């Protein structure tokens, strides 16, 4: 599929010689960068969203690299709540404000799948596996993801996830410093592999590390060129193609090993095999949802640990809550480790008896998930705030419009888990779409979840697993280590501000922050 509508030209391009391809590709890229290509602005009317100055690719490149600044600059330069820009032949309209937010999420013709796959391009693309899926396969993967969130399956994951935490934390040693955006994210990737994939992969630390490095290549290889000109055989695109093949091979090999052994295991892969799903469904489920879960949950876990680092008030509150659960559900027999003590707490208690952890996760998602919801209008022309949204146009809504709005959340950058949710429609969209788990989930499996749980009538399918992972990892971290956040000199640091231009980890832009820790003996 040629996402910018140049199929005929692309067919001719691909049939030409390699030398011709390179020359033509360089010429086209040069012309696009220097001269740009935009729709005619002669027919602008009062109902047309104002155009952002500049139509060439260099002007819109920050949409991919510094999206938070790009969108804010757009609102500032135009002085409007809605503005538009051209992306080659495509029209992209950015919306903001309460009425636009309601219209954006309520319009069923605004398709997430089409919007995300064109404007992002950060998922491993394998036709029939993670893209261009048949309706039947989409529904089946959707159903399997729901099954993976059932009580019995989640309950069975508690022990192995905690053991993964113990094993990984053992490698950190009794004391030291590390970059939380590396080590915490690596831990989350491990627990996500455990939850979504197979024991064969999860039990092999070297293989998990290799799989993570391949997904990192897919992230770093997503550039304006690879998104807008996917047929251009540049270095980034070639790296993405090779990394995608290697991810496919790892997942496919794990399936082969299980099928040949004939030995059932208690994991998600076995659930899919027992359901007699097609191989493509199994591979697509694991390839897509691994990255979907690890990215968003990894970012949230990293920032949750950071926010608690030098916040003694909330650190003490949550430690008291966890220790209270351990005391309530402590087994009669002596537990041999912290992980076994936490494993004695049932799923129901983790979900219903942890209001402090819930508040911490809620606030972390508000401040440190740089989501931008992306849709395409597959219906007829419509209007938002009296401005026309043409059929076929892409529509973008930045979550910073609500989560960092000082009128809804005073002092919005302050980490305050005690603050109340804004009493306005869609006043909190922390478990919503954006470029992380839920949009990726929807893109891979095409799931239909009404308003992504915003109305309170439905629950996002990935939410239960993500919450459980966050609570287990945070509990292990807090009870096992005494830690604080320090700067590059080792001095105690002020709380860093999330950088929303980093759409993956929200990593602070200028300074480097570390987590300094010592092993603690829990008073349990």
């Amino acid at each position: 599929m040629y996402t910018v509508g140049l199929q005929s030209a692309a067919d001719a391009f691909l049939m030409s010689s390699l030398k011709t391809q390179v020359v033509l590709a360089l010429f086209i890229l040069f012309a696009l960068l220097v001269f740009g290509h935009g729709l005619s602005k002669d027919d602008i009317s009062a109902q047309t969203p104002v155009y952002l100055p500049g139509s060439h690719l260099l002007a819109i490149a920050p949409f991919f690299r510094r999206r938070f600044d790009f969108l804010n600059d757009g609102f500032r330069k135009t002085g409007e709540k809605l503005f538009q820009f051209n992306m080659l032949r495509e029209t992209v309209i950015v919306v903001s404000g309460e009425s636009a937010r309601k219209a954006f999420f309520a319009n069923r013709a605004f398709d997430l799948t089409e919007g995300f796959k064109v404007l992002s391009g950060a998922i491993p693309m394998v036709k029939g596996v993670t893209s261009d899926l048949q309706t039947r396969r989409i529904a089946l993967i959707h159903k399997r993801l729901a099954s993976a969130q059932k009580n019995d399956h989640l309950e069975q994951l508690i022990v192995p996830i905690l053991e993964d935490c113990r094993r990984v934390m053992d490698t950190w040693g009794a004391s030291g410093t590390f970059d939380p955006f590396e080590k915490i994210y690596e831990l989350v990737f491990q627990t996500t592999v455990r939850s979504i994939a197979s024991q064969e992969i999860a039990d092999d630390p070297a293989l998990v590390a290799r799989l993570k490095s391949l997904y990192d290549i897919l992230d770093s290889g997503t550039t304006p060129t690879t998104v807008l000109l996917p047929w251009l055989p540049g270095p980034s695109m070639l790296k993405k193609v090779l990394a995608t093949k290697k991810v496919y091979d790892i997942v496919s090999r794990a399936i082969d090993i299980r099928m040949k052994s004939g030995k059932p295991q208690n994991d998600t892969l076995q659930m899919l095999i027992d359901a007699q799903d097609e191989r493509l469904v199994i591979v697509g489920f694991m390839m897509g949802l691994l990255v979907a879960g690890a990215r968003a949950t990894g970012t949230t876990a990293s920032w949750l640990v950071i926010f608690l680092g030098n916040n003694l008030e909330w650190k003490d509150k949550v430690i008291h809550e966890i220790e209270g659960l351990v005391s309530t559900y402590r087994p009669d027999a002596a537990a041999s480790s912290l992980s076994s003590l936490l494993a004695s707490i049932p799923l129901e208690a983790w979900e219903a008896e942890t209001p402090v952890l819930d508040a911490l996760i809620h606030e972390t998602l508000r401040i440190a998930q740089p989501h931008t919801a992306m849709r395409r209008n597959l219906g007829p022309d419509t209007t938002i705030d009296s401005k026309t949204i043409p059929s076929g146009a892409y529509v973008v809504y930045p979550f910073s419009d609500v989560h960092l709005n000082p009128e809804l959340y005073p002092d919005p950058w302050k980490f305050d888990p005690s603050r109340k949710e804004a009493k306005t429609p869609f006043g909190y969209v922390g478990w919503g779409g954006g470029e992380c788990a839920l949009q990726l989930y929807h893109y891979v499996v095409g799931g239909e979840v009404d308003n992504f749980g915003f109305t309170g009538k439905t629950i996002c399918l990935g939410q239960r697993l993500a919450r459980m992972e966050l609570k287990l990892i945070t509990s292990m971290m807090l009870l096992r280590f005494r830690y604080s956040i320090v700067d590059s000199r080792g001095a105690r640091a002020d709380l860093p501000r999330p950088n929303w231009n980093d759409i993956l980890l929200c990593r602070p832009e200028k300074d480097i922050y570390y987590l300094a820790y010592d092993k603690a003996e829990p008073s349990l």
Side-chain angles (χ1 to χ4, degrees):
M1 170 177 280
Y2 301 96
T3 58
V4 292
L6 302 176
Q7 178 130 21
S8 297
D11 288 341
F13 175 83
L14 293 173
M15 293 176 63
S16 62
S17 67
L18 179 60
K19 182 178 179 180
T20 302
Q21 288 182 8
V22 172
V23 173
L24 287 175
L26 291 175
F27 175 79
I28 293 171
L29 182 59
F30 175 80
L32 290 171
L33 290 175
V34 176
F35 302 108
H37 189 293
L39 296 177
S40 173
K41 302 179 181 60
D42 295 336
D43 58 348
I44 293 178
S45 67
Q47 287 73 44
T48 301
V50 63
Y51 275 93
L52 183 67
S55 59
H56 53 81
L57 285 185
L58 288 178
I60 65 170
F63 177 81
F64 298 93
R65 292 303 192 193
R66 301 186 60 83
R67 185 168 298 162
F68 180 68
D69 287 347
F70 174 81
L71 297 179
N72 284 339
D73 286 346
F75 291 122
R76 178 179 55 81
K77 290 176 180 177
T78 62
E80 301 287 342
K81 291 185 177 181
L82 283 77
F83 68 88
Q84 65 176 305
F85 60 91
N86 293 325
M87 193 174 289
L88 298 183
R89 292 183 177 274
E90 310 295 353
T91 297
V92 181
I93 300 175
V94 186
V95 304
S96 67
E98 180 179 329
S99 59
R101 184 166 62 249
K102 290 192 291 186
F104 178 90
F105 288 112
N107 194 322
R108 295 283 183 171
F110 285 5
D111 187 82
L112 190 155
T113 303
E114 285 296 312
F116 182 77
K117 73 180 182 182
V118 171
L119 298 183
S120 177
I123 196 148
M125 298 289 291
V126 180
K127 188 173 182 180
V129 178
T130 59
S131 68
D132 299 328
L133 299 181
Q134 300 173 0
T135 302
R136 179 177 58 83
R137 286 180 181 161
I138 290 174
L140 189 56
I141 295 178
H142 186 192
K143 181 179 179 180
R144 297 295 177 252
L145 183 56
S147 297
Q149 308 298 304
K150 290 183 177 178
N151 288 352
D152 57 345
H153 192 76
L154 290 181
E155 190 84 56
Q156 293 167 0
L157 283 172
I158 291 177
V159 170
I161 286 177
L162 287 169
E163 282 303 301
D164 279 338
C165 291
R166 180 197 59 76
R167 179 184 58 77
V168 172
M169 290 178 180
D170 281 347
T171 67
W172 298 347
S175 64
T177 60
F178 62 66
D179 183 342
F181 296 104
E182 294 180 0
K183 295 297 185 181
I184 300 298
Y185 186 83
E186 288 171 1
L187 173 56
V188 171
F189 192 88
Q190 168 67 50
T191 61
T192 303
V193 170
R194 177 74 62 188
S195 303
I196 295 298
S198 71
Q199 289 189 17
E200 288 84 355
I201 300 177
D203 288 343
D204 186 341
L207 187 58
V208 173
R210 176 167 171 72
L211 193 58
K212 178 184 176 299
S213 70
L214 292 172
Y215 278 114
D216 290 343
I217 291 174
L218 291 174
D219 286 332
S220 62
T222 299
T223 66
T225 303
T226 61
V227 173
L228 298 174
L229 307 172
W231 42 266
L232 185 66
S236 294
M237 178 54 71
L238 294 176
K239 288 180 181 178
K240 288 188 67 172
V241 170
L242 182 59
T244 298
K245 181 184 183 302
K246 291 179 178 179
V247 171
Y248 180 93
D249 289 343
I250 290 174
V251 173
S252 185
R253 190 177 303 115
I255 298 172
D256 288 338
I257 292 173
R258 179 69 58 84
M259 297 292 286
K260 290 178 181 178
S261 71
K263 297 179 180 179
Q265 303 288 345
N266 190 18
D267 59 12
T268 300
L269 174 57
Q270 194 64 48
M271 178 192 75
L272 300 173
I273 291 175
D274 291 345
Q276 298 183 338
D277 288 335
E278 297 176 72
R279 186 182 186 87
L280 290 181
V281 171
I282 298 175
V283 175
F285 182 98
M286 293 170 63
M287 282 185 66
L289 294 177
L290 272 178
V291 63
R295 281 176 179 154
T297 309
T299 300
T300 305
S302 299
W303 275 104
L304 178 52
V305 169
I306 289 172
F307 285 143
L308 290 174
N310 297 342
N311 193 320
L312 297 181
E313 176 188 358
W314 283 97
K315 186 185 288 185
D316 288 343
K317 285 182 179 181
V318 69
I319 289 175
H320 179 74
E321 177 175 87
I322 299 165
E323 290 180 341
L325 286 177
V326 171
S327 177
T328 300
Y329 295 100
R330 179 190 293 269
D332 294 334
S336 60
S337 66
L338 172 60
S339 58
S340 60
L341 279 173
L342 294 175
S344 67
I345 303 171
L347 175 65
E348 181 181 1
W350 283 113
E351 293 188 327
E353 300 177 29
T354 53
V356 177
L357 276 168
D358 285 331
L360 292 169
I361 293 170
H362 188 278
E363 180 71 345
T364 302
L365 286 170
R366 184 188 68 80
I367 301 178
Q369 282 289 357
H371 294 345
T372 301
M374 304 174 186
R375 307 285 192 270
R376 188 176 192 181
N377 181 15
L378 297 186
D381 290 359
T382 186
T383 59
I384 293 181
D385 286 349
S386 301
K387 300 296 184 180
T388 300
I389 310 297
S391 177
Y394 293 90
V395 192
V396 170
Y397 175 74
F399 282 17
S400 57
D401 176 63
V402 58
H403 283 172
L404 301 181
N405 186 336
E407 295 182 2
L408 300 177
Y409 296 100
D411 195 2
W413 290 107
K414 179 182 179 181
F415 180 72
D416 181 11
S418 67
R419 72 166 80 233
K420 302 298 182 182
E421 187 174 310
K423 300 300 181 181
T424 185
F426 303 99
Y428 179 83
V429 289
W431 289 105
E435 295 192 313
C436 298
L438 296 177
Q439 274 202 343
L440 285 171
Y441 153 69
H442 188 111
Y443 172 53
V444 175
V445 305
E448 288 292 341
V449 182
D450 291 345
N451 291 329
F452 292 95
F454 296 156
T455 64
K457 296 179 181 179
T458 58
I459 297 176
C460 303
L461 291 179
Q463 184 180 146
R464 291 190 75 192
L465 175 58
R467 281 187 184 275
M468 188 179 77
E469 282 187 271
L470 289 168
K471 291 179 179 182
L472 296 178
I473 291 171
T474 304
S475 298
M476 282 288 293
M477 187 72 201
L478 290 171
L479 296 190
R480 177 158 178 162
F481 298 108
R482 294 183 298 267
Y483 74 91
S484 60
I485 303 302
V486 299
D487 60 22
S488 57
R489 300 181 302 275
R492 192 179 180 90
D494 294 331
L495 186 66
R497 174 179 289 192
N499 171 26
W500 278 52
N501 283 313
D502 181 354
I503 60 177
L504 294 177
L505 292 174
C506 245
R507 184 192 290 265
E509 186 169 16
K510 296 181 180 179
D511 299 319
I512 300 175
Y513 294 87
Y514 297 93
L515 187 150
Y517 63 94
D518 293 290
K519 190 173 182 180
E521 293 298 329
S523 56
L524 299 174

PDB file of all heavy atoms in Angstrom, residues 114-132:
ATOM      1  N   GLU A 114      -6.821   4.216   9.946  1.00  0.00           N
ATOM      2  CA  GLU A 114      -6.306   4.935   8.788  1.00  0.00           C
ATOM      3  C   GLU A 114      -5.447   6.114   9.215  1.00  0.00           C
ATOM      4  O   GLU A 114      -4.405   6.390   8.618  1.00  0.00           O
ATOM      5  CB  GLU A 114      -7.463   5.419   7.912  1.00  0.00           C
ATOM      6  CG  GLU A 114      -8.122   4.328   7.092  1.00  0.00           C
ATOM      7  CD  GLU A 114      -7.157   3.730   6.084  1.00  0.00           C
ATOM      8  OE1 GLU A 114      -6.474   4.499   5.370  1.00  0.00           O
ATOM      9  OE2 GLU A 114      -7.062   2.490   6.013  1.00  0.00           O
ATOM     10  N   GLY A 115      -5.886   6.825  10.253  1.00  0.00           N
ATOM     11  CA  GLY A 115      -5.115   7.972  10.710  1.00  0.00           C
ATOM     12  C   GLY A 115      -3.765   7.589  11.249  1.00  0.00           C
ATOM     13  O   GLY A 115      -2.745   8.208  10.924  1.00  0.00           O
ATOM     14  N   PHE A 116      -3.737   6.542  12.035  1.00  0.00           N
ATOM     15  CA  PHE A 116      -2.498   6.196  12.711  1.00  0.00           C
ATOM     16  C   PHE A 116      -1.464   5.603  11.764  1.00  0.00           C
ATOM     17  O   PHE A 116      -0.293   5.942  11.815  1.00  0.00           O
ATOM     18  CB  PHE A 116      -2.771   5.222  13.854  1.00  0.00           C
ATOM     19  CG  PHE A 116      -1.530   4.870  14.625  1.00  0.00           C
ATOM     20  CD1 PHE A 116      -1.005   5.760  15.533  1.00  0.00           C
ATOM     21  CD2 PHE A 116      -0.889   3.674  14.413  1.00  0.00           C
ATOM     22  CE1 PHE A 116       0.145   5.466  16.228  1.00  0.00           C
ATOM     23  CE2 PHE A 116       0.266   3.360  15.101  1.00  0.00           C
ATOM     24  CZ  PHE A 116       0.782   4.262  16.017  1.00  0.00           C
ATOM     25  N   LYS A 117      -1.881   4.722  10.895  1.00  0.00           N
ATOM     26  CA  LYS A 117      -0.882   4.028  10.074  1.00  0.00           C
ATOM     27  C   LYS A 117      -0.225   4.955   9.062  1.00  0.00           C
ATOM     28  O   LYS A 117       0.912   4.715   8.662  1.00  0.00           O
ATOM     29  CB  LYS A 117      -1.496   2.820   9.376  1.00  0.00           C
ATOM     30  CG  LYS A 117      -2.433   3.127   8.225  1.00  0.00           C
ATOM     31  CD  LYS A 117      -2.968   1.820   7.641  1.00  0.00           C
ATOM     32  CE  LYS A 117      -3.872   2.049   6.455  1.00  0.00           C
ATOM     33  NZ  LYS A 117      -4.420   0.786   5.918  1.00  0.00           N
ATOM     34  N   VAL A 118      -0.901   6.040   8.657  1.00  0.00           N
ATOM     35  CA  VAL A 118      -0.302   6.976   7.721  1.00  0.00           C
ATOM     36  C   VAL A 118       0.560   8.000   8.445  1.00  0.00           C
ATOM     37  O   VAL A 118       1.671   8.303   8.028  1.00  0.00           O
ATOM     38  CB  VAL A 118      -1.392   7.686   6.893  1.00  0.00           C
ATOM     39  CG1 VAL A 118      -0.786   8.816   6.065  1.00  0.00           C
ATOM     40  CG2 VAL A 118      -2.087   6.682   5.987  1.00  0.00           C
ATOM     41  N   LEU A 119       0.077   8.531   9.571  1.00  0.00           N
ATOM     42  CA  LEU A 119       0.771   9.620  10.243  1.00  0.00           C
ATOM     43  C   LEU A 119       1.854   9.161  11.207  1.00  0.00           C
ATOM     44  O   LEU A 119       2.627   9.965  11.693  1.00  0.00           O
ATOM     45  CB  LEU A 119      -0.244  10.495  10.992  1.00  0.00           C
ATOM     46  CG  LEU A 119      -1.287  11.194  10.125  1.00  0.00           C
ATOM     47  CD1 LEU A 119      -2.173  12.075  10.977  1.00  0.00           C
ATOM     48  CD2 LEU A 119      -0.624  12.013   9.032  1.00  0.00           C
ATOM     49  N   SER A 120       1.901   7.862  11.529  1.00  0.00           N
ATOM     50  CA  SER A 120       2.910   7.400  12.476  1.00  0.00           C
ATOM     51  C   SER A 120       3.930   6.502  11.807  1.00  0.00           C
ATOM     52  O   SER A 120       5.100   6.816  11.701  1.00  0.00           O
ATOM     53  CB  SER A 120       2.247   6.665  13.647  1.00  0.00           C
ATOM     54  OG  SER A 120       3.223   6.172  14.520  1.00  0.00           O
ATOM     55  N   GLY A 121       3.504   5.313  11.387  1.00  0.00           N
ATOM     56  CA  GLY A 121       4.410   4.408  10.695  1.00  0.00           C
ATOM     57  C   GLY A 121       5.429   3.740  11.587  1.00  0.00           C
ATOM     58  O   GLY A 121       6.486   3.331  11.118  1.00  0.00           O
ATOM     59  N   ALA A 122       5.123   3.603  12.902  1.00  0.00           N
ATOM     60  CA  ALA A 122       6.129   3.092  13.834  1.00  0.00           C
ATOM     61  C   ALA A 122       5.929   1.639  14.226  1.00  0.00           C
ATOM     62  O   ALA A 122       6.526   1.178  15.179  1.00  0.00           O
ATOM     63  CB  ALA A 122       6.123   3.957  15.094  1.00  0.00           C
ATOM     64  N   ILE A 123       5.086   0.912  13.509  1.00  0.00           N
ATOM     65  CA  ILE A 123       4.838  -0.471  13.887  1.00  0.00           C
ATOM     66  C   ILE A 123       5.439  -1.408  12.845  1.00  0.00           C
ATOM     67  O   ILE A 123       5.528  -1.046  11.668  1.00  0.00           O
ATOM     68  CB  ILE A 123       3.325  -0.733  14.024  1.00  0.00           C
ATOM     69  CG1 ILE A 123       3.067  -2.028  14.778  1.00  0.00           C
ATOM     70  CG2 ILE A 123       2.642  -0.785  12.677  1.00  0.00           C
ATOM     71  CD1 ILE A 123       1.806  -1.974  15.582  1.00  0.00           C
ATOM     72  N   PRO A 124       5.914  -2.596  13.233  1.00  0.00           N
ATOM     73  CA  PRO A 124       6.450  -3.527  12.235  1.00  0.00           C
ATOM     74  C   PRO A 124       5.371  -3.931  11.248  1.00  0.00           C
ATOM     75  O   PRO A 124       4.327  -4.451  11.624  1.00  0.00           O
ATOM     76  CB  PRO A 124       6.917  -4.723  13.076  1.00  0.00           C
ATOM     77  CG  PRO A 124       6.214  -4.598  14.375  1.00  0.00           C
ATOM     78  CD  PRO A 124       6.005  -3.139  14.596  1.00  0.00           C
ATOM     79  N   MET A 125       5.620  -3.696   9.967  1.00  0.00           N
ATOM     80  CA  MET A 125       4.615  -3.902   8.938  1.00  0.00           C
ATOM     81  C   MET A 125       4.844  -5.215   8.204  1.00  0.00           C
ATOM     82  O   MET A 125       5.855  -5.386   7.525  1.00  0.00           O
ATOM     83  CB  MET A 125       4.651  -2.737   7.937  1.00  0.00           C
ATOM     84  CG  MET A 125       4.321  -1.391   8.541  1.00  0.00           C
ATOM     85  SD  MET A 125       2.577  -1.254   8.977  1.00  0.00           S
ATOM     86  CE  MET A 125       1.850  -1.232   7.355  1.00  0.00           C
ATOM     87  N   VAL A 126       3.924  -6.147   8.365  1.00  0.00           N
ATOM     88  CA  VAL A 126       3.945  -7.400   7.620  1.00  0.00           C
ATOM     89  C   VAL A 126       2.532  -7.614   7.096  1.00  0.00           C
ATOM     90  O   VAL A 126       1.597  -7.812   7.880  1.00  0.00           O
ATOM     91  CB  VAL A 126       4.375  -8.596   8.495  1.00  0.00           C
ATOM     92  CG1 VAL A 126       4.388  -9.870   7.664  1.00  0.00           C
ATOM     93  CG2 VAL A 126       5.739  -8.344   9.118  1.00  0.00           C
ATOM     94  N   LYS A 127       2.369  -7.559   5.789  1.00  0.00           N
ATOM     95  CA  LYS A 127       1.049  -7.662   5.196  1.00  0.00           C
ATOM     96  C   LYS A 127       0.381  -8.969   5.598  1.00  0.00           C
ATOM     97  O   LYS A 127       0.973 -10.038   5.487  1.00  0.00           O
ATOM     98  CB  LYS A 127       1.136  -7.571   3.673  1.00  0.00           C
ATOM     99  CG  LYS A 127      -0.217  -7.475   2.990  1.00  0.00           C
ATOM    100  CD  LYS A 127      -0.070  -7.214   1.499  1.00  0.00           C
ATOM    101  CE  LYS A 127      -1.431  -7.060   0.829  1.00  0.00           C
ATOM    102  NZ  LYS A 127      -1.312  -6.801  -0.612  1.00  0.00           N
ATOM    103  N   GLY A 128      -0.850  -8.855   6.078  1.00  0.00           N
ATOM    104  CA  GLY A 128      -1.593 -10.032   6.510  1.00  0.00           C
ATOM    105  C   GLY A 128      -1.278 -10.467   7.923  1.00  0.00           C
ATOM    106  O   GLY A 128      -1.919 -11.364   8.463  1.00  0.00           O
ATOM    107  N   VAL A 129      -0.271  -9.830   8.535  1.00  0.00           N
ATOM    108  CA  VAL A 129       0.115 -10.170   9.908  1.00  0.00           C
ATOM    109  C   VAL A 129      -0.164  -9.010  10.839  1.00  0.00           C
ATOM    110  O   VAL A 129      -0.848  -9.153  11.850  1.00  0.00           O
ATOM    111  CB  VAL A 129       1.600 -10.568   9.982  1.00  0.00           C
ATOM    112  CG1 VAL A 129       2.008 -10.871  11.425  1.00  0.00           C
ATOM    113  CG2 VAL A 129       1.858 -11.782   9.098  1.00  0.00           C
ATOM    114  N   THR A 130       0.396  -7.819  10.532  1.00  0.00           N
ATOM    115  CA  THR A 130       0.126  -6.635  11.337  1.00  0.00           C
ATOM    116  C   THR A 130      -0.494  -5.506  10.521  1.00  0.00           C
ATOM    117  O   THR A 130      -0.729  -4.426  11.044  1.00  0.00           O
ATOM    118  CB  THR A 130       1.414  -6.117  11.996  1.00  0.00           C
ATOM    119  OG1 THR A 130       2.364  -5.802  10.972  1.00  0.00           O
ATOM    120  CG2 THR A 130       1.994  -7.145  12.944  1.00  0.00           C
ATOM    121  N   SER A 131      -0.733  -5.728   9.240  1.00  0.00           N
ATOM    122  CA  SER A 131      -1.389  -4.720   8.408  1.00  0.00           C
ATOM    123  C   SER A 131      -2.241  -5.412   7.359  1.00  0.00           C
ATOM    124  O   SER A 131      -2.051  -6.588   7.062  1.00  0.00           O
ATOM    125  CB  SER A 131      -0.346  -3.817   7.730  1.00  0.00           C
ATOM    126  OG  SER A 131       0.389  -4.548   6.762  1.00  0.00           O
ATOM    127  N   ASP A 132      -3.198  -4.637   6.805  1.00  0.00           N
ATOM    128  CA  ASP A 132      -4.088  -5.165   5.773  1.00  0.00           C
ATOM    129  C   ASP A 132      -4.744  -6.475   6.227  1.00  0.00           C
ATOM    130  O   ASP A 132      -4.819  -7.449   5.459  1.00  0.00           O
ATOM    131  CB  ASP A 132      -3.329  -5.389   4.460  1.00  0.00           C
ATOM    132  CG  ASP A 132      -2.757  -4.089   3.914  1.00  0.00           C
ATOM    133  OD1 ASP A 132      -3.394  -3.040   4.142  1.00  0.00           O
ATOM    134  OD2 ASP A 132      -1.693  -4.127   3.283  1.00  0.00           O
TER     135      ASP A 132
END
